[in-house]
């Protein structure tokens, strides 16, 4: 029987680790967090006792109860409980929550961490266990409570003042603000025309090269229209530019550092078109392990990190692989060390790298899914290239003068490709690509004259800043110190899923509600959606993690002014609207409101005047009946409208008149007799028509309180033994209450069938027509309802004498 218990987050990680530890260890998975703040703590509550030290009121998730019980049971018989959850704050918190939820004595627990799931790393971690780091737990706890307090106080206010169903978040609202403000920069941008001139020059030997016009009369070129550009071109054609200087410069380009979480998400977006969420999901699988020629092993180090460090052992292995694959010139004499530039980075962690550089992507091709292989190749190439020699370049530049004009010709060639033989980093649109394309200038010397063989004038326009991609937004958040590696992907997913931002051709564009929400928050809660304030909060949480700050005073300093401000804005601010130039039929200004079905124009005097209409361009197409007098109130006029189910025609006096013109076949004729509902004795069966199919069915008049329906037409008879209504079913009959089939003999009365008020009607006993189709919104079977009471006895009828079926 195993003596020790090991707790990890995922089953895949558990299976991999169990292989390395042997029979004395049992590994169980917590499946992530086992406790959290309650989702529905009650009206006006947060799941946090803000009056008593911000004590969190944790509850065990229902879908984690089974795991907690299993851990608690196994821990009782274990000598030691090793908590091997992830090595970041989230993992530290999970370890602590497991001990609390499963009632594991703290003296029985030991904390182990590792950045890669390999046999050597696991054994080393278990050889050096430690206690749970309460500072990291407090930092995670404080972050969770701050996010809860922001979300559960600001979100109800937004729902009241902007639109119902909205939410706010400490990081998500800042991310939306970045997207909104970038879009407004683009809208406000005014393009400026400019022209460039490029000359094709020829030496006396007949060799040609290109030179760009860079200055006119000693000032940088500024040609604003085609006429001016052509004038300069004509003047230059008659001149002979002379070489005034020529120089050669050698330079080295160092490789990009190995991946952090954010740079991995950015590069996977640029090169693989992966969303951040998809990238992290694939990276998780690579970290937890896969079958390889070396057995089941984790393929990459921990993928939530902001460090660019590489362990010394890994650097040595990388140099060996580089030497074997590419030769000594590509091999560094010692490992290259990078300094992490990210604010608040946790330097104790490693970057994202392969657990073994000898496991090259091609050797894993048959073991990994295509998307896993593509991401692994990216990680392997980037990490290996980071330990290779620099790329060497030589740039030759020649300066030429012709009258008032100064031209420049340059060419760059690669002397040694270095790391670029393996990998070159991608670039965003905002970054200027260095011209590293190989080229050469002809032999030139100072004083050489050239001839202008041709001049090309090119029109350009200045361009606005590009819209954010998911990758570039993550980069912006990281640069401002907002969020952490574990939150980037979730933040992007949240703002898209909740409708503040949409992804269009891989670009992020704000929705109207995103702009309206941002405007309201910036106007009334500017500090809380300010980049500097949010970054300062991240730094404060880092201080809690480092043990240099207490978390309860931090929360008090944060929440006390926020709570007071929210109460003030709840009383003093009006609902956010968008003003327009439209007026209603009474001459009042109309505003744009946001409803559950989208945007619409509404009178600004609502509720005194309730007129609404679609936005210009959103009008519903002309429909039959528009312009007619309302047949229900005989006052209003039928107009086209749009609802959540699409266009429809209704009375313009709504809500005073709720008439809606119905399309489709006429409703079926009512039954000529009363039939008590077999499920609900208070209701009666009425004929209806299914909305989508048009088929006739019979349902309880007490819908939606009673949802009984049947496809079989009642005939007005009763099944004697059960007082159940009888209906046609093909060529036979069926009791709608007990489900019994009733046979109809060729002569005489049907067995067990009674018709009130006389003998059976031959027409009623004729073979039934099939209505077909299952009706919408209820039970299609004509069988007996399990919950239906017996129907009432009909007064004035004789005692039962008919034979029972």
């Amino acid at each position: 029987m195993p003596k020790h218990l090991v707790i990890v987050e995922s089953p895949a990680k558990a299976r991999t680790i169990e292989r390395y530890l042997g029979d004395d260890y049992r590994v169980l998975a917590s499946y992530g967090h086992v406790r959290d703040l309650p989702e529905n703590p009650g009206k006006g509550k947060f799941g946090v006792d803000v009056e008593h030290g911000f004590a969190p009121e944790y509850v065990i998730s229902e879908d984690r109860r089974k795991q907690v019980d299993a851990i608690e049971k196994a821990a009782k018989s274990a000598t030691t409980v090793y908590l091997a959850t992830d090595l970041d704050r989230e993992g530290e918190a999970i370890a602590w929550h497991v001990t609390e939820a499963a009632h594991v004595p703290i003296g029985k627990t030991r904390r182990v961490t590792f950045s890669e799931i390999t046999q050597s790393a696991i054994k080393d971690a278990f050889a050096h266990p430690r206690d749970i780091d309460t500072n990291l737990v407090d930092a995670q706890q404080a972050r969770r409570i701050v996010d809860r307090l922001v979300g559960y106080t600001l979100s109800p206010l937004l729902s009241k003042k902007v639109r119902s169903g909205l939410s706010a978040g400490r990081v998500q609202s800042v991310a939306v603000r970045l997207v909104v403000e970038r879009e407004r920069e683009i809208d406000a941008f005014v393009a400026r025309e400019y022209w460039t001139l490029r000359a094709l020059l020829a030496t006396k030997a007949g060799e040609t090269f290109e030179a760009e016009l860079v200055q006119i009369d000693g000032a940088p070129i500024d040609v604003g229209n085609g006429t001016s550009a052509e004038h300069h071109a004509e003047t230059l054609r008659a001149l002979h530019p002379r070489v005034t200087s020529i120089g050669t410069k050698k330079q080295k380009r160092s490789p990009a550092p190995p991946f952090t979480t954010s740079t991995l998400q950015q590069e996977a977006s640029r090169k693989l078109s992966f969303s951040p969420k998809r990238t992290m999901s694939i990276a998780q699988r690579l970290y937890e392990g896969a079958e390889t020629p070396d057995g089941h092993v984790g393929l990459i180090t921990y993928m939530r990190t902001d460090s660019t460090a590489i362990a010394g052992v890994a650097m040595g292995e990388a140099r060996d692989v580089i030497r074997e694959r590419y030769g000594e010139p590509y091999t560094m004499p010692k490992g290259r060390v990078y300094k992490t530039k990210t604010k608040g980075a946790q330097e104790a962690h490693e970057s994202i790298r392969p657990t073994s550089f000898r496991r090259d992507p091609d050797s894993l091709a048959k073991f990994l899914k295509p998307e896993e292989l593509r991401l692994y190749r990216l990680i392997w190439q980037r990490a290996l290239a980071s330990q290779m020699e620099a790329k060497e370049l030589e740039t030759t530049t020649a300066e030429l003068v012709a009258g008032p004009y100064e031209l420049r010709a340059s060419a760059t060639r690669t002397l040694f490709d270095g790391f670029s033989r393996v990998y070159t980093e991608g670039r965003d649109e905002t970054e200027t690509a260095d011209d590293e394309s190989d080229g050469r200038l002809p032999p030139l010397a100072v004083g050489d004259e050239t001839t202008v063989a041709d001049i090309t004038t090119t029109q350009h326009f200045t361009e606005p800043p590009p819209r954010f991609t998911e990758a570039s937004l993550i980069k912006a958040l990281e640069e401002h110190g907002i969020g952490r590696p574990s939150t980037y992907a979730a933040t992007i997913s949240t703002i898209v899923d909740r409708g503040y931002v949409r992804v269009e051709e891989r670009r992020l564009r704000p929705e109207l509600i995103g702009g309206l929400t941002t405007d309201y928050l910036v106007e009334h809660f500017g500090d809380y959606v300010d980049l500097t304030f949010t970054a300062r909060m991240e730094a404060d949480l880092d201080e809690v993690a480092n043990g240099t700050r207490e978390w309860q005073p931090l929360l008090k300093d944060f929440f006390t002014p926020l709570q007071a401000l929210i109460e003030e804005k709840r009383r003093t601010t009006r609902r956010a609207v968008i003003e327009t130039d439209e007026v209603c039929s009474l001459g009042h200004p109309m505003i744009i409101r946001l409803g559950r079905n989208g945007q619409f124009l509404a009178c600004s005097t609502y509720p005194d005047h309730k007129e609404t209409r679609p936005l210009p361009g959103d009008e519903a197409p002309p429909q039959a009946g528009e312009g007619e007098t309302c047949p229900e109130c005989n006052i209003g006029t039928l107009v086209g409208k749009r609802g959540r189910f699409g266009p429809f025609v209704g009375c313009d006096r709504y809500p005073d008149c709720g008439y809606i013109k119905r399309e489709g076949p006429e409703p079926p004729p009512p039954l000529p007799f009363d039939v008590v509902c077999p499920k609900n004795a208070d209701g009666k069966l009425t004929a209806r028509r299914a909305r989508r199919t048009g088929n006739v069915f019979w349902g309880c008049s007490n819908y939606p309180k009673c949802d009984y329906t049947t496809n079989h037409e009642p005939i007005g008879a009763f099944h004697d033994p059960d007082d159940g209504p009888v209906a046609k079913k093909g060529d036979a009959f069926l009791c709608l209450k007990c489900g019994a089939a009733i046979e109809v003999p060729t002569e005489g009365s049907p067995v067990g069938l009674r018709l009130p008020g006389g003998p059976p009607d031959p027409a009623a006993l004729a073979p039934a027509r099939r209505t077909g189709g299952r009706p919408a919104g209820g039970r299609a079977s004509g069988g007996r309802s399990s919950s239906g009471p017996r129907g009432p006895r009909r007064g004035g009828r004789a005692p039962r004498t008919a034979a029972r079926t």
Side-chain angles (χ1 to χ4, degrees):
M1 182 177 179
K3 293 190 298 184
H4 307 296
L5 178 64
V6 181
I7 307 300
V8 298
E9 291 103 319
S10 73
K13 189 175 175 182
R15 287 191 295 269
T16 306
I17 291 175
E18 203 162 35
R19 289 184 173 94
Y20 300 144
L21 293 178
D23 296 336
D24 285 342
Y25 295 83
R26 181 185 180 191
V27 185
L28 293 179
S30 71
Y31 288 78
H33 278 280
V34 296
R35 297 196 312 176
D36 198 3
L37 301 175
E39 283 192 21
N40 299 300
K43 188 174 181 180
K45 298 181 179 180
F46 311 119
V48 177
D49 190 349
V50 297
E51 302 296 332
H52 298 90
F54 295 89
E57 301 165 1
Y58 291 118
V59 295
I60 298 175
S61 309
E62 284 301 316
D63 57 351
R64 295 292 179 268
R65 173 63 65 181
K66 179 180 177 182
Q67 284 76 25
V68 171
D69 291 344
I71 292 170
E72 183 173 3
K73 182 178 179 181
K76 289 178 180 178
S77 59
T79 304
T80 309
V81 177
Y82 290 97
L83 304 165
T85 49
D86 289 342
L87 72 163
D88 56 7
R89 295 174 195 172
E90 207 77 16
E92 204 76 20
I94 291 173
W96 177 74
H97 280 297
V98 166
T99 62
E100 293 287 313
H103 305 103
V104 182
I106 198 68
K108 208 178 197 181
T109 63
R110 301 296 285 156
R111 178 81 168 108
V112 293
T113 59
F114 38 84
S115 63
E116 59 184 69
I117 304 178
T118 58
Q119 188 166 5
S120 59
I122 299 301
K123 290 188 174 181
D124 183 66
F126 276 78
H128 302 90
R130 59 171 174 81
D131 294 330
I132 291 176
D133 188 333
T134 55
N135 291 329
L136 293 180
V137 174
D138 289 345
Q140 191 279 337
Q141 199 166 221
R143 177 188 296 276
R144 183 71 185 94
I145 293 173
V146 165
D147 289 344
R148 170 57 64 95
L149 294 177
V150 171
Y152 276 51
T153 54
L154 272 180
S155 297
L157 186 65
L158 289 178
S159 293
K160 183 178 181 181
K161 301 295 185 179
V162 181
R163 193 194 72 186
S164 62
L166 295 181
S167 67
R170 183 177 58 88
V171 175
Q172 81 171 49
S173 296
V174 176
V176 173
R177 180 180 182 179
L178 286 172
V179 177
V180 168
E181 291 183 346
R182 175 60 60 86
E183 190 70 20
R184 288 174 179 170
E185 282 184 62
I186 295 171
D187 291 341
F189 182 82
V190 178
R192 184 180 67 85
E193 180 184 7
Y194 70 97
W195 290 71
T196 58
L197 288 81
R198 198 165 186 84
L200 181 65
L201 305 179
T203 66
K204 290 182 178 180
E207 295 179 285
T208 59
F209 63 99
E210 287 190 342
E212 186 173 4
L213 179 63
V214 291
Q215 287 192 344
I216 302 175
D217 290 326
I221 179 174
D222 184 13
V223 179
N225 55 68
T227 303
S228 178
E230 191 56 41
H231 165 72
H232 291 301
E234 283 298 321
T235 304
L236 265 171
R237 286 188 179 98
L239 300 177
H240 296 277
R242 179 173 49 84
V243 178
T244 57
S245 70
I246 188 164
T248 300
K249 179 182 177 182
K250 291 184 179 179
Q251 54 185 321
K252 290 187 176 183
R253 296 280 168 81
S254 296
F259 284 127
T260 63
T261 301
S262 125
T263 55
L264 175 63
Q265 291 170 346
Q266 293 167 42
E267 195 75 340
S269 176
R270 296 184 195 111
K271 292 194 170 184
L272 306 180
S273 299
F274 287 176
S275 70
K277 186 176 181 179
R278 184 182 179 190
T279 298
M280 295 309 292
S281 175
I282 299 169
Q284 180 82 36
R285 299 200 298 269
L286 295 175
Y287 168 69
E288 291 176 346
E291 290 297 336
T292 72
D294 303 322
H296 195 94
V297 65
L299 297 178
I300 64 170
T301 52
Y302 190 54
M303 63 286 161
R304 293 185 183 90
T305 177
D306 43 22
S307 171
T308 55
I310 291 184
V313 173
M315 284 185 183
E317 186 189 43
R319 289 201 306 276
D320 292 341
V321 171
I322 293 167
R323 185 179 293 109
E324 293 166 10
R325 280 177 165 261
Y326 307 108
E328 198 65 41
Y330 293 87
T331 308
M332 297 276 293
K334 61 179 182 178
R336 182 183 279 109
V337 178
Y338 292 89
K339 182 174 177 58
T340 301
K341 298 179 181 178
T342 304
K343 296 178 182 178
Q346 301 173 52
E347 292 290 347
H349 294 176
E350 268 201 84
S351 60
I352 304 171
R353 61 165 176 83
T355 53
S356 173
F357 285 99
R358 295 194 180 280
R359 277 190 286 271
D360 65 272
D362 292 337
S363 69
L364 298 176
K366 62 182 179 181
F367 299 97
L368 299 178
K369 296 177 181 177
E371 62 178 9
E372 294 172 346
L373 182 62
R374 293 177 70 196
L375 190 65
Y376 180 78
R377 187 182 299 278
L378 198 67
I379 294 169
W380 185 88
Q381 289 176 337
R382 171 94 165 215
L384 190 70
S386 74
Q387 298 303 308
M388 295 177 72
E389 281 285 6
K391 181 178 182 179
E392 297 179 14
L393 303 167
E394 182 185 77
T395 301
T396 302
T397 303
E399 304 285 347
L400 302 97
V401 173
Y405 302 106
E406 294 182 30
L407 299 92
R408 180 176 298 139
S410 63
T412 300
R413 65 190 185 98
T414 300
L415 301 178
F416 176 63
D417 57 359
F419 70 87
S420 67
R421 182 169 176 181
V422 173
Y423 176 85
T424 303
E425 185 180 25
R427 296 182 182 274
D428 291 323
E429 288 184 5
T430 52
E431 298 174 319
T432 303
D434 297 308
D435 185 10
E436 296 182 2
S437 57
D438 278 359
R440 289 177 181 272
L441 293 178
L444 293 171
V446 175
D448 286 353
E449 278 197 355
T450 62
T451 303
V452 178
D454 191 21
I455 289 186
T456 303
T457 59
T458 306
Q459 183 186 37
H460 306 271
F461 291 92
T462 54
E463 295 184 353
R467 291 185 176 90
F468 284 113
T469 62
E470 291 177 315
S472 60
L473 180 57
I474 287 173
K475 184 178 181 181
L477 291 172
E478 184 184 39
E479 287 174 346
H480 287 97
I482 297 169
R484 282 296 176 261
S486 60
T487 65
Y488 294 137
T491 298
I492 302 298
S493 295
T494 297
I495 65 175
V496 173
D497 294 344
R498 293 185 178 174
Y500 294 108
V501 169
R502 69 182 184 276
V503 181
E504 198 172 276
E505 296 180 347
R506 299 185 60 207
R507 304 284 166 181
L508 298 177
R509 302 190 66 163
E511 299 286 7
L512 179 64
I513 189 63
L516 202 58
T517 303
T518 295
D519 289 343
Y520 183 84
L521 290 175
V522 169
E523 181 180 357
H524 301 291
F525 298 90
D527 285 346
Y528 295 91
V529 290
D530 179 71
L531 297 175
T532 304
F533 178 89
T534 308
R536 179 64 238 172
M537 175 56 71
E538 295 288 358
D540 291 342
L541 292 171
D542 289 341
E543 291 178 6
V544 174
N546 296 332
T548 57
R549 185 163 187 167
E550 294 293 325
W551 66 278
Q552 288 99 335
L554 170 63
L555 292 178
K556 183 178 180 181
D557 292 344
F558 170 79
F559 184 63
T560 302
L562 174 63
Q563 190 177 32
L565 185 60
I566 286 175
E567 288 303 318
E568 177 195 340
K569 298 303 179 181
R570 183 177 284 113
R571 296 190 311 269
T572 59
T573 60
R574 299 182 61 186
R575 189 176 179 90
V577 298
I578 302 173
E579 297 180 351
T580 72
D581 295 330
E582 300 285 330
V583 294
C584 71
S585 58
L586 299 181
H588 302 136
M590 300 196 82
I591 57 177
I592 296 177
R593 286 192 178 274
L594 302 172
R596 60 182 179 180
N597 301 321
Q599 310 164 33
F600 61 94
L601 288 172
C603 181
S604 57
T605 64
Y606 177 89
D608 297 330
H609 187 212
K610 300 177 180 178
E611 181 179 337
T612 64
R613 71 172 73 131
L615 291 174
D618 286 354
E619 297 87 353
Q623 301 173 76
E626 287 188 38
E628 297 176 3
T629 301
C630 174
E632 187 167 304
C633 67
N634 292 316
I635 300 174
T637 302
L638 299 187
V639 294
K641 299 185 177 184
R642 188 185 298 274
R644 58 177 172 172
F645 298 113
F648 67 96
V649 173
C651 182
D652 65 354
R653 295 184 62 244
Y654 177 85
D656 297 326
C657 176
Y659 174 79
I660 295 176
K661 182 178 178 63
R662 305 291 181 184
E663 298 293 337
E666 293 295 321
L671 292 170
F673 41 77
D674 290 342
V675 180
V676 175
C677 174
K679 180 178 179 180
N680 174 20
D682 295 333
K684 297 178 181 179
L685 296 187
T686 59
R688 298 176 184 169
R689 193 180 295 278
R691 181 183 300 171
R692 283 188 288 179
T693 64
N695 295 328
V696 177
F697 67 97
W698 291 265
C700 182
S701 58
N702 277 343
Y703 178 82
K705 180 180 177 182
C706 174
D707 62 357
Y708 178 86
T709 62
T710 178
N711 288 338
H712 309 304
E713 182 178 2
I715 63 172
F718 309 99
H719 184 207
D720 185 52
D722 205 38
D723 261 354
V726 176
K728 292 179 182 180
K729 184 181 180 182
D731 296 335
F733 294 89
L734 176 77
C735 175
L736 296 181
K737 191 164 188 180
C738 70
I742 302 173
E743 296 183 3
V744 181
T746 53
E747 295 182 3
S749 298
V751 179
L753 181 68
R754 290 181 291 103
L755 292 167
D761 181 0
L765 300 183
R769 63 182 176 85
R770 297 301 299 267
T771 57
R774 182 187 178 103
R779 186 169 61 88
S781 169
R784 182 175 186 172
S785 167
S786 59
S787 60
R790 288 177 57 83
R793 298 180 63 86
R794 289 178 178 265
R797 60 179 171 81
R800 300 175 185 169
T801 57
R804 297 179 181 274
T805 56

